[in-house]
Amino acid sequence: MNIDFSEQELAFQAEVRAFLQAELPAQTSEKVKQGLRPSKEQTVAWQKILHKKGWMAPNWPVEYGGTGWNSTQRFIWETERTAFGAPEVVAFGVKMVAPVIYTYGNEEQKQRFLPDIIQSNVWWCQGYSEPNAGSDLASLRTAAVQDGDDYVVNGTKTWTTLGQYADWIFCLVRTGGPDMKNQEAISFLLIDMKTPGITVSPIYLLDGTPEVNEVHFDNVRVPVTNRIGEENKGWTYAKYLLTHERTGTARVAGSKQRLTALKAKAANTGDGGQVLSENPAWQQKVAEVEIELLALEYTELRTLAAVSTGKAPGPESSMLKLIGTEVQQAIDELNVEMAGYYGLPFVPEQLDDDYDGLMIGPELAANSAPAYFNNRKATIYGGSNEIQTNIICKAILGL
Amino acid sequence: MDFSYSEEQQMLRDSIGKFISQDYDFDSRRAIVDSDTGYSMEHWKTFAELGWLTVPFKETDGGFGGSAVDLMVVMEEFGKGLLVEPFLANTVLAGTGLSEAANEQQKQTLLQPLMEGNLQLAFAFAEPQSRYQLADVQCSGQIEDNQIVINGHKAVVLNGEAADKLLVSVRTSGQTTERHGISLIVVDADSAGISHRAYTNVDGHRAADIWFDQVTVPVSNLLGEADKAIEIIEMVIDRAALAVCAEAVGAMQISLERTVEYTKIRKQFGVTLASFQALQHRMARMFMEVEQARSILLMAAMEMDRLDGRAPRALSAAKSRIGKAARKVGQESIQIHGGVGVTDELDVGHYFKRLTTIQYQFGSTDFHTARFAGS
Ligand SMILES: Cc1cc2nc3c(=O)[nH]c(=O)nc-3n(C[C@H](O)[C@H](O)[C@H](O)COP(=O)(O)OP(=O)(O)OC[C@H]3O[C@@H](n4cnc5c(N)ncnc54)[C@H](O)[C@@H]3O)c2cc1C
């Protein structure tokens, strides 16, 4: 056992830092550090910079354009990226649909879709959940019925994150008959969002942003060639993808960066003649979160180490998601608490890039409550924390 | 010992309950929040006509009676409807300040029209650096030749834009954070030298940051004695804290009810959410949180009415415990609703927002825990 970086790893760290120093646009990192979502343009611009460097897809096999990094290198990358305030890449393309395409897609599909994903030419969104199929995803009802060379798709997907930006959507649809078992009646379809019959309507979240959407399919014709793998095997592919989705949701590096920023800020936050960072109750609270995060960091490293020696990320990834999101939310809450009365004003315009008016309250305060409200989603999406708990009960404890 | 409401208190509660259910559903509230003023003048008039604006005031001042228990009854009902009309800013904050410190003439010109619904007030006490320490006052008031010249910045003043007059805490002598040397002054909101930036808070209430630049008022605008306002300010803030504690109890009760109802309707895996024991247990805990909150609220309100000096400690116990409950109940109601819980469309999210801001107004949970420990 050894936690020090090797010479080579230190050299890699230096390379990463130099790259971020030189290439990361200042306005983008400023936004990320404030907990704001960069615009579509900022995100795509950054991803194109990453691609130019060859670092867009650390999770892909080298043959398709992956970096070939080991788990330590990935860890270094994540740590440095977040410390510099570089945005996370949008997961839907490179981290979600791409692994399904290169694992289960045919040659033609790989040729057709993977380059646009790694080059960030196409924005993907995820069409799994439906109004009546949330935690029980397999009960989804969006139907795809074959008609000649096409499927005709009808139904409603919901909670589609950033669907308003998307060029393509990957969907789980029901292709099997009503008497078939749900898990054996689902197919995995790639759908061009410009196809006639698709309408996207925004859903506003508690922070006032239309981050998610409802996507309606009204007799949408999708070529059968857009199906990944076999008909009615979509559930298997989706489950494979879900474990991918869960690793990385711990966001350890991001939480560390945010805690560091929080502590620095608390040292400058007035507390009735003193500073907040010296308030014992505050110190205790921050320390508890930090300690939990430290443990989580090593839990994640242990999991990653096991994966790199050949094991697939198993049900342990549920734990990373669960504790990781709890820590994220604890930090969200500390930000609100630190803001005190300045956590109350909701002045969304002052979060805009081009806002040059008077700022209400100190830095980090303005978005603290909206971010806290919004991020309650973290324990709900990607398989809620209750569902993750159920997985641990079943798959690990054998209950 | 008797924990039942008097007949008058019951009538008050019923009349507010009726108003909320008839005239203040979620969509009407949303329209009010989105309107220019952020509250309904028509409703405010109704409150005045029904006598609700007189509740926290003594009978000798023309009020309903002024007990903390009465105030609790009102605020709990308001909490159930997430009312955004500026009752807290006017009637509780400014009103308590007036009722405790105003002279007869000030009561005539300020308290009377306030109770009649014809005057809008705001209580400007917090400053950017002060957090919850009420004696941390940097805003200065220089007394010279029968005049007071005010300079400084007040933060997140509830009803700060609509207010006709502001009750402002200023430092007339001594050092920042010293208890002695703080005064309360009534200032016309349109005085020369005042500027403000108004906004809506995350919970739908209106507020403003207000700057004073050489604002000059006559010495007769002092509320109470010069330099000796800290105890009055503390009393005001404790009252306001009690009021939001009661509001939180009302809001928690509705959040719990909505959550339980929802789990009985929403089905996943072919069964209702309510059938999952993991969720049942959590709703049972939410229920216990609401009950504990209600108990400590009653205790604090009754202690406050005894006027024997034990109120601050009791109040801190209530604010601390209710803050904890508000956090738990708010978060759990969102989580148990799943995705719909984080949308703007459903009311639970709005209860959650108010339950959040209440935790950080008039002293946070930690602040009151520490004050309790030190008292
Ligand atoms: C902001 C946001 C973004 C999202 N983005 C996407 C996206 O891009 N694409 C997409 O397809 N989906 C997305 N989702 C959907 C997300 O995956 C679902 O919200 C999630 O699966 C939960 O489903 P639900 O909201 O229907 O809640 P429900 O399934 O109705 O659950 C309600 C509550 O019951 C609990 N519960 C359910 N079953 C059990 C059980 N067996 N035991 C104990 N408790 C249980 C849940 O944990 C939850 O607390 C997003 C959701 C949100 C909120």
Side-chain angles (χ1 to χ4, degrees):
Chain A
M1 277 198 199
N2 177 7
I3 59 169
D4 295 327
F5 290 147
S6 68
E7 287 284 312
Q8 272 169 326
E9 286 159 352
L10 286 171
F12 176 71
Q13 185 185 48
E15 186 191 359
V16 168
R17 285 181 182 169
F19 165 71
L20 289 163
Q21 188 68 46
E23 302 287 342
L24 176 62
Q27 210 180 34
T28 305
S29 68
E30 213 26 64
K31 229 170 166 176
V32 171
K33 284 182 176 167
Q34 281 191 53
L36 299 170
R37 191 180 328 107
S39 67
K40 179 179 182 179
E41 291 70 29
Q42 287 170 328
T43 307
V44 171
W46 170 240
Q47 291 187 177
K48 285 187 180 281
I49 293 171
L50 279 178
H51 174 61
K52 219 175 106 202
K53 177 77 179 167
W55 289 358
M56 177 61 192
N59 60 314
W60 291 17
V62 179
E63 52 179 313
Y64 301 116
T67 50
W69 291 341
N70 61 25
S71 63
T72 312
Q73 285 174 300
R74 283 203 215 179
F75 170 79
I76 291 171
W77 165 246
E78 272 308 294
T79 306
E80 298 302 326
R81 174 188 75 70
T82 41
F84 277 79
E88 205 172 330
V89 302
V90 179
F92 304 113
V94 77
K95 288 187 183 164
M96 292 190 180
V97 74
V100 175
I101 294 174
Y102 62 65
T103 313
Y104 300 104
N106 57 36
E107 247 346 278
E108 197 241 306
Q109 288 168 333
K110 292 181 199 173
Q111 299 289 335
R112 183 169 165 212
F113 293 109
L114 295 180
D116 277 340
I117 291 175
I118 202 165
Q119 291 165 28
S120 300
N121 296 331
V122 164
W123 190 297
W124 284 84
C125 65
Q126 180 186 29
Y128 278 17
S129 307
E130 298 181 4
N132 289 316
S135 297
D136 182 14
L137 185 59
S139 70
L140 60 92
R141 282 291 168 268
T142 295
V145 178
Q146 196 164 347
D147 178 33
D149 291 340
D150 292 337
Y151 283 114
V152 179
V153 179
N154 279 291
T156 301
K157 292 292 176 182
T158 193
W159 308 123
T160 320
T161 299
L162 300 180
Q164 68 268 39
Y165 296 165
D167 305 300
W168 281 74
I169 183 169
F170 56 96
C171 283
L172 290 180
V173 293
R174 192 171 174 100
T175 37
D179 48 335
M180 289 167 70
K181 230 184 127 207
N182 285 340
Q183 286 80 352
E184 287 156 16
I186 290 169
S187 297
F188 197 105
L189 271 192
L190 311 181
I191 305 179
D192 185 339
M193 291 289 277
K194 286 185 293 294
T195 323
I198 298 182
T199 38
V200 179
S201 32
I203 301 175
Y204 287 83
L205 297 185
L206 285 177
D207 61 353
T209 64
E211 184 180 298
V212 295
N213 300 271
E214 234 176 43
V215 182
H216 302 273
F217 297 84
D218 181 16
N219 287 318
V220 175
R221 298 193 76 88
V222 181
V224 172
T225 51
N226 286 13
R227 190 190 67 223
I228 297 289
E230 290 175 49
E231 191 170 84
N232 296 334
K233 287 277 171 66
W235 187 251
T236 318
Y237 312 146
K239 264 178 56 182
Y240 166 80
L241 193 156
L242 278 174
T243 41
H244 267 260
E245 188 181 338
R246 259 170 233 144
T247 40
T249 47
R251 298 222 165 88
V252 169
S255 290
K256 276 168 94 174
Q257 189 273 328
R258 292 177 66 209
L259 262 181
T260 306
L262 178 99
K263 285 160 74 176
K265 188 76 195 97
N268 289 311
T269 298
D271 184 21
Q274 295 184 309
V275 286
L276 187 60
S277 57
E278 279 161 23
N279 178 321
W282 171 263
Q283 288 174 340
Q284 171 102 16
K285 254 187 195 167
V286 175
E288 278 170 14
V289 176
E290 207 175 343
I291 291 165
E292 188 68 23
L293 182 59
L294 207 51
L296 181 66
E297 180 175 7
Y298 279 81
T299 301
E300 185 178 59
L301 287 171
R302 278 171 55 214
T303 313
L304 290 178
V307 172
S308 70
T309 54
K311 291 191 212 158
E316 294 79 10
S317 63
S318 289
M319 181 167 55
L320 298 179
K321 195 267 174 178
L322 201 151
I323 301 173
T325 52
E326 284 178 356
V327 169
Q328 289 157 33
Q329 292 182 342
I331 299 170
D332 296 332
E333 218 173 338
L334 286 170
N335 272 318
V336 182
E337 175 145 14
M338 179 167 66
Y341 281 109
Y342 277 123
L344 272 65
F346 181 55
V347 191
E349 61 273 19
Q350 74 183 13
L351 304 176
D352 292 344
D353 286 337
D354 49 5
Y355 180 79
D356 56 5
L358 190 66
M359 287 297 281
I360 295 298
E363 197 199 340
L364 287 186
N367 194 42
S368 62
Y372 166 61
F373 298 143
N374 175 286
N375 204 38
R376 299 315 294 175
K377 70 188 176 190
T379 45
I380 295 170
Y381 66 30
S384 74
N385 285 20
E386 288 73 26
I387 296 301
Q388 307 301 342
T389 309
N390 287 347
I391 292 173
I392 293 170
C393 290
K394 266 198 207 149
I396 301 180
L397 303 180
L399 303 176
Chain B
M1 227 182 247
D2 177 13
F3 292 148
S4 59
Y5 289 146
S6 70
E7 205 170 306
E8 278 153 335
Q9 287 165 342
Q10 272 178 43
M11 278 166 59
L12 185 62
R13 190 184 61 176
D14 292 347
S15 80
I16 300 176
K18 198 169 135 201
F19 166 79
I20 300 286
S21 65
Q22 288 181 352
D23 298 306
Y24 217 81
D25 64 23
F26 184 56
D27 291 332
S28 339
R29 176 189 182 270
R30 186 191 288 276
I32 292 170
V33 170
D34 292 343
S35 69
D36 281 348
T37 51
Y39 73 97
S40 156
M41 201 54 206
E42 199 190 322
H43 287 337
W44 195 250
K45 290 255 152 66
T46 307
F47 297 179
E49 278 159 25
L50 295 173
W52 300 348
L53 304 184
T54 71
V55 166
F57 306 113
K58 300 181 200 88
E59 281 176 46
T60 47
D61 289 334
F64 180 85
S67 82
V69 174
D70 294 341
L71 178 62
M72 175 185 84
V73 170
V74 172
M75 288 303 296
E76 185 181 336
E77 292 307 306
F78 284 169
K80 290 180 189 166
L82 286 183
L83 195 105
V84 291
E85 273 60 28
F87 185 85
L88 186 61
N90 277 303
T91 320
V92 182
L93 285 160
T96 305
L98 292 173
S99 114
E100 295 298 332
N103 58 34
E104 277 317 307
Q105 205 216 331
Q106 287 166 330
K107 282 187 180 167
Q108 281 303 320
T109 55
L110 300 170
L111 192 51
Q112 280 310 318
L114 179 73
M115 289 192 282
E116 288 155 10
N118 295 323
L119 183 68
Q120 288 288 322
L121 298 175
F123 193 78
F125 65 100
E127 298 186 1
Q129 82 293 342
S130 67
R131 217 168 158 79
Y132 304 118
Q133 300 294 342
L134 299 171
D136 186 348
V137 177
Q138 291 186 357
C139 195
S140 67
Q142 237 178 335
I143 306 185
E144 277 168 19
D145 311 330
N146 282 331
Q147 289 195 321
I148 310 173
V149 182
I150 306 168
N151 282 288
H153 174 189
K154 291 291 176 182
V156 199
V157 180
L158 291 176
N159 205 33
E161 189 180 33
D164 304 308
K165 289 175 193 290
L166 311 166
L167 275 51
V168 189
S169 64
V170 297
R171 182 154 294 284
T172 36
S173 73
Q175 303 294 317
T176 311
T177 75
E178 210 174 298
R179 288 175 65 80
H180 184 81
I182 298 166
S183 308
L184 268 177
I185 304 175
V186 183
V187 184
D188 281 338
D190 57 3
S191 306
I194 292 187
S195 54
H196 61 244
R197 170 78 159 85
Y199 40 79
T200 305
N201 283 345
V202 291
D203 55 18
H205 288 258
R206 293 296 168 100
D209 269 38
I210 304 182
W211 288 264
F212 300 83
D213 179 17
Q214 295 291 106
V215 177
T216 309
V217 299
V219 162
S220 57
N221 281 26
L222 269 172
L223 204 57
E225 267 183 86
D227 292 340
K228 293 187 178 157
I230 187 68
E231 281 174 14
I232 291 173
I233 296 169
E234 284 171 347
M235 218 180 293
V236 169
I237 299 307
D238 278 356
R239 272 259 157 165
L242 180 87
V244 295
C245 281
E247 189 186 348
V249 167
M252 279 190 270
Q253 187 188 319
I254 301 294
S255 301
L256 171 63
E257 280 171 15
R258 293 280 192 279
T259 305
V260 170
E261 280 164 23
Y262 183 73
T263 60
K264 289 181 182 169
I265 300 165
R266 170 78 173 170
K267 283 189 170 176
Q268 289 290 283
F269 304 100
V271 294
T272 60
L273 297 179
S275 65
F276 299 126
Q277 202 166 48
L279 299 185
Q280 288 174 0
H281 284 191
R282 284 164 56 176
M283 290 187 280
R285 293 235 63 118
M286 286 168 74
F287 166 78
M288 290 188 264
E289 288 295 307
V290 182
E291 290 306 307
Q292 286 284 82
R294 189 183 297 286
S295 303
I296 209 153
L297 170 67
L298 283 178
M299 182 281 295
M302 290 186 292
E303 286 289 349
M304 226 173 214
D305 283 338
R306 282 153 73 122
L307 303 172
D308 62 358
R310 290 197 297 195
R313 184 168 194 271
L315 185 276
S316 277
K319 186 73 174 49
S320 164
R321 184 62 187 85
I322 290 172
K324 217 170 118 191
R327 170 174 185 267
K328 185 89 180 159
V329 171
Q331 292 181 349
E332 289 288 73
S333 60
I334 300 299
Q335 182 67 24
I336 295 174
H337 272 81
V340 288
V342 293
T343 65
D344 187 59
E345 284 155 44
L346 212 70
D347 57 2
V348 277
H350 297 263
Y351 283 92
F352 169 55
K353 286 184 178 185
R354 183 63 186 134
L355 287 171
T356 301
T357 57
I358 285 175
Q359 293 168 54
Y360 302 107
Q361 283 182 304
F362 315 122
S364 64
T365 306
D366 280 357
F367 174 87
H368 281 288
T369 310
R371 194 174 80 153
F372 180 84
S375 65

